[in-house]
Amino acid sequence: MNFEEHVAKAEFAASGIPVPEGRVVTTPAEAEAAARALGPVAVKAQAPAGKRGKAGAIALADSPAEAEAAARRILGMTLGAHKVERLLVEKRIAIARELYAAVLNDPASQGPLVLFSTLGGMDIEEAAARDPQSVRRHPVDIRAGFTAEDAEKMLGGLDLGRAQAPLAALLVRLYDFYRA
């Protein structure tokens, strides 16, 4: 299934997976109002298409006026075959380090696959092709599930420090969300 980001994030939040506060808007004036309420924001096109950042469909705004200008520029863009009609205006958070995590259907094992990388999410496919060891993969036997121990083992040796245990718990929540 492909979800627009705002739909997926609402589902994540309902499952206990932390997400930044955000609002879905359809006009530049609504983007301005959202930024006024949230402070510095990211203005993100909502379309089921990848590479939105590279297409210029994600913008950072430090003020409500900047959010309005970004919305004016992004609304109406075409990403893939999708016209941008909605934006997610999301409170910006400080990013100390970008990581990548996913649970997906694995054609090779015909079951779930948990992925994790310290390379972040931008261009993850290309980065994995250059350095296959940089992406950890854990095929999941659906009869056994994916446990905290599995996640801890998967993350071992990645120099995550105090973040390792919370990340392991997050991976388990992501798998539980996938299963649900």
Side-chain angles (χ1 to χ4, degrees), residues 10-121:
E11 293 292 325
F12 282 167
S15 297
I17 298 169
V19 297
E21 182 181 357
R23 298 183 181 170
V24 177
V25 303
T26 59
T27 68
E30 290 174 348
E32 179 184 33
R36 188 172 289 108
L38 298 171
V41 294
V43 179
K44 301 175 172 185
Q46 296 300 285
K51 311 236 184 268
R52 292 175 298 155
K54 287 189 174 202
I58 296 176
L60 301 180
D62 291 321
S63 69
E66 288 180 14
E68 179 184 30
R72 194 172 307 288
R73 183 179 57 75
I74 297 169
L75 283 166
M77 290 176 80
T78 300
L79 299 174
H82 307 280
K83 183 177 178 183
V84 177
E85 297 175 340
R86 283 176 302 287
L87 304 170
L88 175 61
V89 178
E90 189 170 68
K91 183 178 185 80
R92 280 199 342 232
I93 56 173
I95 298 173
R97 186 173 179 187
E98 288 191 43
L99 306 170
Y100 175 83
V103 182
L104 49 89
N105 295 324
D106 179 25
S109 68
Q110 296 185 353
L113 178 69
V114 179
L115 298 176
F116 184 84
S117 177
T118 57
L119 297 178

